[in-house]
């Protein structure tokens, strides 16, 4: 069997780029949801109310303690069955929706921890200085703590974005037509596994490289 | 004359525990308007905790603190309002690193809507000028030396136009050659009649500037009086032993 990267690219790019489009779409949508989720979980986690703290910690424990593959199967197959058993009516969940839930719930837990770590990394003296001037807790957070925490969390946040992008390939297992699935289809037809998966890897490398570059630029601007 | 001045801060039976550790075991004192109090004592004696209770950075476990006759330790006391007229200067400066020196000074009056941006800026420049740093107004804290940062921190506290200033070991984190510039600013402030409570290891400063010196050890005021009384002729054994080590 000949390995011909160029030929495979010409033949497969429609299929692969379609899959890549799905990968990027589901990742972006999930990350937006995960950011909002992460903020809420983080706020619950650092809030003085015990019950909110417990919920946040339980959520993070659950997500961190289980593989994402299991989570994907859970949201796509297991939960619908549970709902069906409870309601008695047939229930199915759309595969894209299941994918978004999996990715956003997963990333949300990690992002919540990134936010918490960054807020805690700001020196306690900053809050004390702000409060000593008569600023309220909320104002101190908004004007003093969060601007510094954002700077601190940026590298970890971009890192989490990259992880979520790459982890989205796990959704291959539930049949989401993302890039790995499309690659598998093409390989099944042509047996060109080396060339095809090489292109898949290159696509990811390009996106991740661009992301890292952008984050470096943003970081430099924030630190200026 | 000191006796005729009004009582500014009144501390009654102040106790503070961290878990099982009782750090303050009952502090009673009165501080008069315009008085400069220097608090000395070994580390871990509770002197910083005492200071931090005065603006409720630490919540008293027991006892009462009155400022201008009003209780600040009462549960319904508005802590944000109380802090507005009590300036605080920290050992580690705690300037806001993402703002310039001028912005650090302007921030609170603008955010609390006490001044317009323009008024606050004029005041900030005036205050930076007063601490000798008008040329550093647009520098970020990390571009300034320790002594300069601490002077900006003093200006930042003064921007709220406080009538009490608390200093928590303001020169302890400074290189020796920068201690003077900070102490000079504090000396001026004292001469202008500011009520000041200064936790310090600078015995020379305490001796020169303080109206009264508190020697705190083991969570109580072991000895207090004029610098001459406490520092030159200490009566308490603990004070004698402490001073013999630091002087």
């Amino acid at each position: 069997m000949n390995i011909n990267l160029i030929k495979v690219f010409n033949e497969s790019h429609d299929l692969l780029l379609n899959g890549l489009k799905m990968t990027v779409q589901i990742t972006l949508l999930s990350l937006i949801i995960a950011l909002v989720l992460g903020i809420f979980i983080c706020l619950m986690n650092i809030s003085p109310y015990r019950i909110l703290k417990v919920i946040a910690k339980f959520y993070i424990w659950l997500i961190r303690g289980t593989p994402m593959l299991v989570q994907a199967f859970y949201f796509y197959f297991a939960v619908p069955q549970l709902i069906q058993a409870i309601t008695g009516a047939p229930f199915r969940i759309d595969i894209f929706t299941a994918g978004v839930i999996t990715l956003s719930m997963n990333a949300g837990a990690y992002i919540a921890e990134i936010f918490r770590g960054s807020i805690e990394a700001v020196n306690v003296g900053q809050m004390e200085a702000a409060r000593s001037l008569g600023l309220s807790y909320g104002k101190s957070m908004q004007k003093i703590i969060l601007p510094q925490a954002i700077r601190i969390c940026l590298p970890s946040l971009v890192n989490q974005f990259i992880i979520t992008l790459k982890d989205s390939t796990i959704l291959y297992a539930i049949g989401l037509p993302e890039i790995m699935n499309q690659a598998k289809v093409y390989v099944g037809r042509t047996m060109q596994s080396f060339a095809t998966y090489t292109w898949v890897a290159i696509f990811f490398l390009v996106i991740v490289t661009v992301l890292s570059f952008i984050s470096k630029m943003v970081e430099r601007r924030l630190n200026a | 004359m000191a006796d005729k001045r009004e009582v500014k801060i009144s501390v009654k039976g102040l106790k503070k525990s961290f878990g099982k550790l009782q750090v303050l075991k009952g502090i009673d004192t009165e501080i008069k308007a315009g008085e400069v109090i220097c608090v000395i004592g070994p580390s871990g004696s509770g002197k910083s905790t005492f200071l931090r209770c005065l603006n409720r950075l630490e919540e008293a476990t027991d006892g009462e603190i009155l400022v201008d006759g009003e209780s600040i330790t009462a549960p319904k006391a508005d802590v944000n309002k109380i802090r507005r007229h009590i300036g605080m200067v920290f050992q580690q400066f705690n300037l806001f690193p993402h703002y310039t020196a001028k912005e650090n000074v302007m921030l609170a009056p603008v955010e609390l809507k006490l001044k317009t941006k323009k008024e606050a800026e004029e005041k900030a420049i005036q205050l930076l000028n007063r601490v000798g740093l008008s040329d550093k107004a647009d520098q970020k804290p990390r571009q300034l030396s320790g002594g300069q940062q601490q002077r900006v921190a003093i200006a930042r506290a003064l921007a709220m136009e406080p009538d009490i200033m608390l200093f928590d070991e303001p020169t302890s984190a400074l290189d020796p050659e920068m201690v003077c510039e900070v102490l000079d600013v504090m000396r001026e402030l004292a001469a202008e009649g500011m009520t000041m409570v200064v936790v310090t290891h600078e015995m020379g400063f305490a001796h020169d500037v303080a109206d009264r010196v508190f020697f705190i050890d083991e969570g109580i005021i072991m000895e207090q009086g004029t610098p001459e009384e406490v520092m030159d002729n200490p009566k308490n054994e603990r004070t004698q032993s402490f001073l013999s080590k630091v002087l």
Side-chain angles (χ1 to χ4, degrees):
Chain A
M1 169 134 262
N2 283 329
I3 291 171
N4 188 335
L5 282 167
I6 306 295
K7 181 164 166 280
V8 166
F9 180 79
N10 286 334
E11 279 181 18
S12 70
H13 70 265
D14 274 356
L15 204 58
L16 292 187
L17 290 180
N18 252 329
L20 189 65
K21 205 173 130 197
M22 168 64 80
T23 297
V24 170
Q25 273 174 353
I26 200 163
T27 304
L28 279 179
L29 181 59
S30 302
L31 282 176
I32 291 167
I33 297 170
L35 277 172
V36 178
L37 189 66
I39 289 170
F40 277 107
I41 299 292
C42 167
L43 289 176
M44 286 166 71
N45 205 353
I46 61 174
S47 89
Y49 301 104
R50 215 184 132 70
I51 178 74
L52 295 181
K53 255 182 158 45
V54 168
I55 295 172
K57 287 195 194 305
F58 177 76
Y59 172 73
I60 291 163
W61 171 78
L62 203 64
I63 296 291
R64 272 211 299 216
T66 51
M68 196 161 99
L69 185 61
V70 176
Q71 293 161 13
F73 274 57
Y74 210 78
F75 289 123
Y76 191 48
F77 302 115
V79 173
Q81 192 185 60
L82 179 71
I83 293 174
Q84 201 168 323
I86 292 170
T87 61
F91 185 86
R92 273 195 62 88
I93 189 168
D94 164 60
I95 193 165
F96 186 79
T97 310
V100 170
I101 293 173
T102 307
L103 274 187
S104 53
M105 296 270 282
N106 189 282
Y110 291 103
I111 287 173
E113 284 296 85
I114 289 168
F115 285 157
R116 184 177 65 95
S118 306
I119 287 171
E120 283 171 0
V122 178
N123 192 309
V124 286
Q126 293 289 309
M127 181 56 101
E128 289 185 349
R131 296 304 306 274
S132 293
L133 289 165
L135 299 179
S136 65
Y137 176 83
K139 260 277 183 269
S140 307
M141 266 288 171
Q142 180 201 338
K143 287 285 164 185
I144 306 302
I145 307 299
L146 292 182
Q148 296 182 60
I150 286 169
R151 265 159 244 228
I152 295 170
C153 82
L154 210 66
S156 317
L157 203 56
V158 172
N159 195 39
Q160 183 58 45
F161 288 1
I162 290 170
I163 289 172
T164 301
L165 172 74
K166 296 194 296 179
D167 277 1
S168 72
T169 53
I170 287 175
L171 300 174
Y172 153 85
I174 58 169
L176 185 84
E178 46 69 70
I179 188 165
M180 267 311 279
N181 245 320
Q182 305 299 59
K184 195 88 202 302
V185 168
Y186 182 76
V187 171
R189 225 160 49 206
T190 63
M191 308 302 283
Q192 289 283 355
S193 32
F194 179 80
T196 310
Y197 295 134
T198 300
W199 281 114
V200 171
I202 289 172
F203 289 157
F204 274 105
L205 279 169
V206 169
I207 296 179
V208 170
T209 306
V210 170
L211 261 179
S212 309
F213 183 73
I214 292 172
S215 96
K216 284 251 160 58
M217 282 204 333
V218 174
E219 249 174 85
R220 212 168 300 152
R221 283 198 56 178
L222 278 180
N223 288 331
Chain B
M1 173 203 160
D3 294 331
K4 283 185 187 146
R5 289 182 293 192
E6 56 180 307
V7 173
K8 192 83 192 159
I9 308 170
S10 171
V11 182
K12 296 173 184 169
L14 175 66
K15 289 181 188 157
K16 172 69 186 175
S17 299
F18 295 100
K20 280 189 179 150
L21 182 72
Q22 191 174 37
V23 177
L24 297 180
K25 295 175 181 163
I27 301 242
D28 291 274
T29 190
E30 280 185 345
I31 296 169
K32 299 203 165 65
E35 238 188 333
V36 177
I37 306 288
C38 281
V39 183
I40 60 171
S43 39
S45 59
K47 51 193 194 304
S48 280
T49 306
F50 166 63
L51 192 77
R52 289 161 60 87
C53 282
L54 295 181
N55 73 345
R56 282 188 55 184
L57 274 184
E58 304 292 352
E59 297 287 346
T61 315
D62 196 14
E64 196 179 23
I65 300 169
L66 306 174
V67 174
D68 293 324
E70 271 181 66
S71 171
I72 65 163
T73 42
K76 61 172 170 33
D78 182 349
V79 68
N80 294 331
K81 259 230 164 82
I82 292 160
R83 285 173 177 152
R84 286 186 189 186
H85 65 104
I86 306 179
M88 177 99 177
V89 175
F90 299 86
Q91 183 177 356
Q92 298 296 341
F93 332 132
N94 295 342
L95 288 181
F96 308 133
H98 52 305
Y99 292 122
T100 63
K102 188 173 73 187
E103 287 165 342
N104 264 277
V105 181
M106 288 167 60
L107 183 97
V110 172
E111 286 304 323
L112 295 169
K113 303 197 166 53
L114 303 174
K115 283 192 167 70
T116 65
K117 223 169 180 170
K118 196 162 168 286
E119 289 167 349
E121 187 171 358
E122 279 168 16
K123 178 83 183 175
I125 291 183
Q126 188 192 325
L127 284 167
L128 287 173
N129 200 16
R130 181 168 163 192
V131 298
L133 289 172
S134 46
D135 54 328
K136 305 287 184 194
D138 295 316
Q139 309 255 306
K140 291 276 179 71
R142 65 166 184 272
Q143 296 167 296
L144 303 175
S145 72
Q148 290 168 339
Q149 287 191 51
Q150 193 61 301
R151 284 185 282 154
V152 174
I154 295 173
R156 177 176 68 178
L158 291 176
M160 288 299 292
E161 299 173 0
D163 42 23
I164 300 169
M165 285 284 284
L166 309 176
F167 294 84
D168 191 0
E169 301 195 24
T171 58
S172 295
L174 295 177
D175 291 337
E177 75 267 25
M178 292 168 185
V179 169
C180 256
E181 62 189 58
V182 172
L183 292 183
D184 284 346
V185 171
M186 291 167 63
R187 244 179 259 266
E188 266 177 49
L189 213 51
E192 287 164 19
M194 177 69 76
T195 310
M196 292 164 61
V197 184
V198 186
V199 171
T200 186
H201 291 293
E202 293 295 327
M203 294 302 150
F205 175 82
H207 198 280
D208 288 357
V209 181
D211 294 311
R212 268 192 299 156
V213 173
F214 292 176
F215 173 72
I216 291 189
D217 195 11
E218 292 180 348
I220 57 168
I221 299 178
M222 286 261 179
E223 187 165 2
Q224 61 169 305
T226 64
E228 290 74 23
E229 288 165 358
V230 176
M231 301 180 79
D232 299 339
N233 303 296
K235 291 178 189 66
N236 189 296
E237 226 172 88
R238 303 294 294 245
T239 320
Q240 289 165 359
S241 142
F242 172 74
L243 287 169
S244 72
K245 281 178 207 143
V246 295
L247 285 180

